[in-house]
Structure formats: C-alpha cells, structure tokens
Amino acid sequence: EDDILRFVRPLPVRKIPGIGRVTDKILNSFHIHSVQDLYDDRAKVRFLFKPATATFLLRASLGWSNSDPADADDEEEGKSLTGQKGISKERTFRPGKSWQEINM
C-alpha cells in the first residue's frame, strides 16, 4: 500500500485515467496539480464536485481503483461502480440481400 502511495502521490492529476482537460483545468485553477494536492485539499474537492466525481477523485488520491475489494461496500448499497453499463450488438448485411429480406 505504501509503495502505491509513493508512486501515485507525485503524479500530475491529469495522469489519472478519467481526468480530462476540463477537470484538470478546474483542479489547476484551485492550485490542485498533483495527486498529493488532491488528497491534501480533499475538503475543497468535496465542495467543488458532485458526490460521485468527488468520490472518484478522492479514491484516486488514495491509489484505489474501481476493481479494489473496497467496492464491496458500494455493491451492498446497490451502487456498483464496476458493473456493466451497456450491451451492444452489431449486425452487418450480407451482400445480395433485398430490402424485404433485410427488413424482416
């Protein structure tokens, strides 16, 4: 755990997967540049962002990912962070099909 924190804390916040340009600019405007700053100013983060975003940012500041066992608490409350969000299915048409065959 200490090795993870030593690795993560000096990183710029932009290196956290899921933090894009806009969130980076918001954090930087409040002098939050590194993951360590994110942890140190966690009260400010809770105030600036919606609860789900703030929780994501604070978990990242602790080196926790969404696949950590700590998610078990969230799943018990019905708030799984790692669950599948959608299902997609691709279909292609075979050459030579008529419009009526395709539309069935």
Side-chain angles (χ1 to χ4, degrees), residues 2-45:
D2 290 336
D3 291 338
I4 294 170
L5 292 177
R6 272 194 297 278
F7 175 77
V8 170
R9 292 281 168 91
L11 293 175
V13 290
R14 185 71 164 94
K15 291 287 185 178
I16 298 171
I19 294 184
R21 289 181 296 123
V22 174
T23 304
D24 184 44
K25 284 184 179 185
I26 292 169
L27 291 169
N28 288 335
S29 69
F30 286 93
H31 307 290
I32 299 172
H33 303 283
S34 69
V35 176
Q36 179 67 50
D37 296 337
L38 194 60
Y39 178 77
D40 292 342
D41 291 330
R42 56 194 177 275
K44 196 183 299 181
V45 170

Side-chain angles (χ1 to χ4, degrees), residues 92-104:
T92 56
F93 302 113
R94 284 182 258 140
K97 289 273 187 177
S98 70
W99 178 252
Q100 291 165 343
E101 289 176 320
I102 293 171
N103 238 355
M104 293 182 153

